Amino acid sequence: MNNNRTDRTLETDRLLLRLFKPADAEEVRDYCNNYNIYRSTLTLPYPYPLECAVSWMANHEQNFDLDKMYEFAITDRNTGKLYGAVGISNHQPYHNGEIAYWIGEAHWGQGYGTEAARAVIEFVFTEKNYHRVYARHFASNPASGKIMQKCGMSYEGTLKDHIYKNNSYEDLVYYGILNPVKENPET
């Protein structure tokens, strides 16, 4: 993986993770204005108007520069096609952060979420010196949990009926991973 701090991008075999650009707003709206994405995310509104995309992207660059949060557009490395988003918070006092992602429904099942999440986890472990990364998903969205498992995360617990959404309660399932270098400093 190539980490280029100057232009704030990460590269994988198939993907280029980059900051969102204003030109991405309409495509973000189109992907996120999808009930299937809404029902599997914690805070995404539905319907999802263009103004939501614009306001969501407004502080990405500043948050990155201030080391508060790192949010990337998941794009095809060769064509630039937008597939989704991946982001991770930076809880500096605790040396950890929560990773989250979404992929446009047309691109589900192709491994983009896993590839992007792995790249971001590697980035924060190597470049930002995180000790731990964690994630959570609704029990009704096991595909998100599969991404976490493929990234080496371990199941840590379930908060039963923790979220009330769409007139029903949802279990929230937690996963986490420790920085292997920090976990075994002698190796």
Side-chain angles (χ1 to χ4, degrees), residues 9 64 87 93 95 98 115 123 132-133 143 166:
T9 63
F64 196 108
H95 305 160
E98 179 180 7
E115 193 170 327
F123 165 68
R132 170 179 151 74
V133 170
N166 298 328

Side-chain angles (χ1 to χ4, degrees), residues 32 34-46 48 56 69 98-102 134-141 144 148 159 161-166 168-174:
C32 292
N34 176 318
Y35 186 79
N36 290 326
I37 291 180
Y38 158 77
R39 71 186 176 99
S40 64
T41 57
L42 193 59
T43 59
L44 198 72
Y46 184 80
Y48 192 93
W56 174 66
M69 186 147 193
E98 179 180 7
I99 191 167
Y101 39 80
W102 59 263
Y134 66 95
R136 55 192 170 162
H137 71 89
F138 291 153
S140 62
N141 182 17
S144 189
M148 295 169 195
L159 302 180
D161 286 352
H162 192 70
I163 300 296
Y164 185 74
K165 185 170 184 170
N166 298 328
S168 66
Y169 290 97
E170 287 272 0
D171 293 352
L172 208 52
V173 183
Y174 277 78

Side-chain angles (χ1 to χ4, degrees), residues 8-131:
R8 296 165 294 198
T9 63
L10 305 174
E11 289 183 35
T12 69
D13 290 343
R14 300 183 298 162
L15 304 175
L16 173 69
L17 308 183
R18 60 161 174 81
L19 290 179
F20 279 91
K21 301 180 276 196
D24 296 322
E26 288 185 14
E27 201 164 7
V28 167
R29 182 226 24 229
D30 292 347
Y31 280 146
C32 292
N33 194 34
N34 176 318
Y35 186 79
N36 290 326
I37 291 180
Y38 158 77
R39 71 186 176 99
S40 64
T41 57
L42 193 59
T43 59
L44 198 72
Y46 184 80
Y48 192 93
L50 183 61
E51 298 76 36
C52 282
V54 171
S55 66
W56 174 66
M57 294 186 300
N59 295 316
H60 287 185
E61 190 168 353
Q62 179 182 7
N63 287 341
F64 196 108
D65 290 342
L66 294 174
D67 288 318
K68 288 184 175 182
M69 186 147 193
Y70 312 105
E71 295 181 272
F72 297 96
I74 302 170
T75 67
D76 186 279
R77 186 172 165 182
N78 297 316
T79 67
K81 173 75 177 150
L82 180 67
Y83 296 136
V86 61
I88 190 165
S89 57
N90 186 3
H91 304 139
Q92 293 178 16
Y94 310 115
H95 305 160
N96 72 33
E98 179 180 7
I99 191 167
Y101 39 80
W102 59 263
I103 301 294
E105 187 173 8
H107 308 291
W108 288 359
Q110 298 177 45
Y112 299 133
T114 301
E115 193 170 327
R118 282 180 178 154
V120 169
I121 290 169
E122 182 181 330
F123 165 68
V124 297
F125 280 166
T126 59
E127 301 292 318
K128 299 301 177 182
N129 208 28
Y130 281 34
H131 176 70

